[in-house]
Amino acid sequence: MEKYALVFLFGFFSVCSIFGQQTTIKGSVKDAIAKKPIANVTVAIEDTKQSTQTNALGEFAFNFNVPLGEQVLRISKIGYISKRYPIVVYENETVNITDMTLETAASRNQDLFTITLTDDELNDDTSASDNISGLLASSLDVFQRTAAFEFSASFFRVRGMDSNHSSVLINGLEMNKIYNGRPQWSNWGGINDVLRNQELAANLSPSSYTFGGVLGAVNINTRASEARAGGRVTYSSSNRSYTHRLMATYASGLLKNNWAYTISVGRRWGNEGYQEATHYKANSFFTAVEKKISDAHSLNVTAIYTPNRRGKSSPNTQEVYNLKGIKYNEYWGFQDGDKRNSRIKEVNEPIIMLNHYWDFNSRTSLNTNIGYQFGKLGNSRLDYNGTDLVNGFPQGGGANPSPVYYQKLPSYFERNFPNDLQFAYVALNQFLEDGQIDWNAMYSANINNAQQGGNAIYALYEDRVDDTQISFNSIFNTELNSHTTINAAVNYKTLKSENFAQVLDLLGATTYLDIDGFATDIDEAQNNLLNPNRLVSEGDRFKYNYNILANEMSAYLQAQFKYRKVDFYVSGSVKNTQYQREGVYQNGGFPDNSLGKGDKLTFTGFGAKTGITYKLAGNHIIDGNAGYISRAPSIQNTFSNARENHNVVPQISEEKILSTDVSYIFRSSILKTKLTGYYTKIEDASDIGFYFADGVGGDNAVFVQEILQGIDKKHLGVELGIEAQVTPTITLRGVASVGQFTYDNNPNLFLSTEPDAEAIAAGFVDGFKDFGVSNLKNYKLASGPQNAYSVGFDYRDPDFWWFGATANFFSKIYVDVNPLTRSSNFTTDFDGNPFNDFDEDLARTLLKQERFDDYMVINLVGGKSWKIGNYYVGLFASINNLLDEVYKTGGFEQGRNANYRELRDDKALDKPIFGSKYWYGRGTTYFLNLNVRF
């Protein structure tokens, strides 16, 4: 018996010895940004059949039949950029590679995103450029990434929707402006390195922070303790919106004393972007400091200050583009040898926030935040209506200084002097030789008038918005069990928005008479009856002065359920919104309806959404979502003419949105495919525009506020994204978006204006006129390309260089139609009867919506990275529109031709005087980026 026992013990220890000496490869994989373990990463030993996957802790191991010598580990996961790690394996030894990292495709592309979007299109203030590309840049979905990086330069809108249907949060606090519902991207421009930690919930999918909109929500996390430790210095060069960018960022990570901090500074500058005289000057400062008080509590303070100032560019008629090209900009002229732009946008709105993070345990947390934002937003422009009081009545005013004013262009003389074309020839030569603002002429006019005791005829002023906003919210998250998660939040915002005009430069004069030079009555001419015939100087407020007071209170509750075969969620929200106008001036045109506080407007909105994800098999998924949202109209579309009175849009109500989408998703190690069909219906929206109209109520010319109320819109379409990893180094991509975005009813049309003699002659009563409906149903929405397609590839070499090319195709792009010409005013003569020469067939042709030409744009992108000691060097370059394609991205019909005869006579010309104005895309542009990480 003892003999058998000794044999058994010898065998046992021999086996233990063998196993103790076995050859092993083990390690772990983490996210390069979040520093958290990644599960289900495929780890393979190249040139063998051996592979495994990481567990929930990101760990893996090879214990059997491990090949010896020089080997290469390849780590990969869908949505991440694959990496290769060379190793040397010795017999009976363990190779331990811990904390290998993977980057998402979105994080690799962030340098591209932050130049082509945040600093450029997203900062523009034209409706043609509004998109949600910033929201989608953090997505791993190939369709959403393509929409952000490839389609944005063409002002493509996902599902044809405005960006106010999305929510952008920083540390849980919503950043969308109450004024128009859109995020003001320039409030955090130039601090790209500290904005990389993002969590996206696309479209109706659930977010842990907010109910969101029909286009989703993104939360940007700037907690100092969660920033990737280390430093980064970046230099960029481009010919798009600025010439140079310099940034420096350092994050400490969580220190031994439980403090953490992040600092980032940057500057972007350039004398001229792609368009003429579009100078750019922006500084950026960011800091976040966090103290981990205990395992349960942490406090984080974030401060963001990104003042920026840039020259704007003009939309132009086709006549102007044909003469001057797509870089032409009417807003500038030479002064003392330098290009001076009259239209400057300046944003200076610091943000400070305090965040408290309370982890009750590993499953339950409460995040409470308070934010304070203040500062100014200004847009400058020229005034040419300066007057003097002569015998108690204003007289004077100057010529329109715009070089593209219709009476200066050749088309005006061709129409009015068809038998004497020398006038058109002179205008043509003058425009070709100069065609810019004449600053010297304005200075001369002002100085001459001032020497005779008069006031400024011309002045440069700024439309200012000085906002002070306090935000508070508390976000609760808990995992009830392994299947159920509850999310909830309460939010509060209060805003005081000061709106006024301010004199910037009197161009050689010392005073300006603060009255309305177009008014026919001296009392109606007063911008402020409390201080009539006031003379203002540089730095003074004038023209208009009022406050908007707003409050928002909201709450949302959400439950998410996850099981082996099915995931689903249910979410609900409620929001109370209040607006009130407070007039500081008593306007002469509306003496009883402009001063003091107007009526308080209250809106109550509700939201409900649900969704289900069904896992048919390991690679096949069906996902569906449906939601209903009612929400308050924005401030912008509530007050019909807030600069002069308390009036609101007639029959104003909450906007209603019904949306649904269904997706089929296929995922394998080689192929990822997602096909989505969607439908969204918007009801009871409103929209306000301002323009000068000829032919209102017959032959009258009036400056009007156009009010569209009760607008219904329909958005439906299909989205397809395909990504194939055909080899370990080559990825093919294909994306398609086929949509139809239309007006779905004939909304109500109202016009308002000054209650003067011209308005009365045009049929206005107290400055207001109801035109019934505007026949807009089935007209296309001007929301960028309704169809967009993209095919491309990426090659990522194991030696850390990569290259990609993409061809993008765009079609079904339409001009924004004018509602007034689709109303009863179009067919009605001055006597209230239809035009006696009205031709229905010709009218149908005149009112046909213009569709722009289809086009294709080819983009190239590439990069290389090196490790030099403890430093990582990255070089990135992109070329957009390689073939220098010329294309229109958007445009709008001018409102001057308000009736049949006006439009007919103008369009009869080869070059209409009041043709549509367009935006063109840029030609070939480049971007270079060099960064060093340590």
Side-chain angles (χ1 to χ4, degrees), residues 3 56 113 323 457 632 758 769:
K3 177 181 176 182
F113 155 64
L323 295 175
I457 300 171
E758 289 184 346
K769 187 174 181 179

Side-chain angles (χ1 to χ4, degrees), residues 210-287:
T210 183
F211 183 82
V214 294
L215 288 181
V218 64
N219 181 62
I220 303 170
N221 183 354
T222 66
R223 287 185 67 176
S225 66
E226 296 189 4
R228 179 165 62 181
R232 182 184 179 109
V233 177
T234 302
Y235 170 76
S236 307
S237 175
S238 176
N239 66 337
R240 297 174 186 172
S241 57
Y242 52 73
T243 308
H244 307 283
R245 179 181 70 171
L246 188 62
M247 296 189 303
T249 301
Y250 182 78
S252 67
L254 188 62
L255 302 174
K256 293 182 179 180
N257 58 4
N258 285 330
W259 283 89
Y261 64 89
T262 304
I263 299 173
S264 183
V265 296
R267 179 170 173 80
R268 293 156 291 160
W269 71 99
N271 292 327
E272 190 169 69
Y274 188 81
Q275 276 80 22
E276 298 171 350
T278 51
H279 72 267
Y280 200 106
K281 183 174 70 174
N283 297 312
S284 305
F285 306 93
F286 170 92
T287 185

Side-chain angles (χ1 to χ4, degrees), residues 552 575 577 579 603-605 630-634 638 653-655:
E552 286 185 353
K575 177 183 283 190
T577 303
Y579 302 143
F603 305 93
T604 302
S630 66
R631 63 179 192 175
S634 65
T638 296
S653 66
E654 291 83 1
E655 185 177 299

Side-chain angles (χ1 to χ4, degrees), residues 200-405:
L200 170 70
N203 304 316
L204 289 172
S205 59
S207 166
S208 301
Y209 305 92
T210 183
F211 183 82
V214 294
L215 288 181
V218 64
N219 181 62
I220 303 170
N221 183 354
T222 66
R223 287 185 67 176
S225 66
E226 296 189 4
R228 179 165 62 181
R232 182 184 179 109
V233 177
T234 302
Y235 170 76
S236 307
S237 175
S238 176
N239 66 337
R240 297 174 186 172
S241 57
Y242 52 73
T243 308
H244 307 283
R245 179 181 70 171
L246 188 62
M247 296 189 303
T249 301
Y250 182 78
S252 67
L254 188 62
L255 302 174
K256 293 182 179 180
N257 58 4
N258 285 330
W259 283 89
Y261 64 89
T262 304
I263 299 173
S264 183
V265 296
R267 179 170 173 80
R268 293 156 291 160
W269 71 99
N271 292 327
E272 190 169 69
Y274 188 81
Q275 276 80 22
E276 298 171 350
T278 51
H279 72 267
Y280 200 106
K281 183 174 70 174
N283 297 312
S284 305
F285 306 93
F286 170 92
T287 185
V289 179
E290 183 173 356
K291 171 62 176 176
K292 187 175 182 181
I293 301 170
S294 66
D295 289 340
H297 295 276
S298 186
L299 282 176
N300 185 86
V301 177
T302 295
I304 301 171
Y305 181 47
T306 58
N308 58 88
R309 177 183 173 89
R310 63 181 181 83
K312 296 162 70 172
S313 59
S314 61
N316 302 302
T317 64
Q318 194 59 51
E319 176 186 11
V320 172
Y321 281 120
N322 290 343
L323 295 175
K324 285 287 196 175
I326 64 173
K327 294 185 178 182
Y328 175 73
N329 181 11
E330 68 155 292
Y331 295 150
W332 70 274
F334 282 106
Q335 182 181 349
D336 296 331
D338 295 325
K339 292 180 179 180
R340 183 179 182 183
N341 195 321
S342 64
R343 300 285 185 100
I344 303 296
K345 181 172 184 177
E346 185 172 0
V347 181
N348 192 331
E349 296 183 308
I351 303 169
I352 302 172
M353 59 180 65
L354 174 65
N355 316 105
H356 174 243
Y357 300 92
W358 183 4
D359 295 327
F360 294 82
N361 50 51
S362 61
R363 292 178 172 267
T364 304
S365 66
L366 181 68
N367 172 207
T368 302
N369 312 290
I370 185 168
Y372 177 64
Q373 185 172 15
F374 60 98
K376 67 176 185 178
L377 186 154
N379 288 278
S380 68
R381 61 188 305 135
L382 285 169
D383 178 278
Y384 54 94
N385 298 313
T387 57
D388 301 318
L389 282 179
V390 179
N391 297 322
F393 199 82
Q395 293 185 10
N400 191 326
S402 169
V404 298
Y405 181 56

Side-chain angles (χ1 to χ4, degrees), residues 159 193 286 362 402 442 475 587 596 720 724 778 800 903-904:
R159 301 186 180 182
D193 292 340
F286 170 92
S362 61
S402 169
M442 290 187 289
I475 304 169
N587 185 272
L720 174 66
N778 295 326
F800 302 101
L903 188 60
R904 178 198 63 191

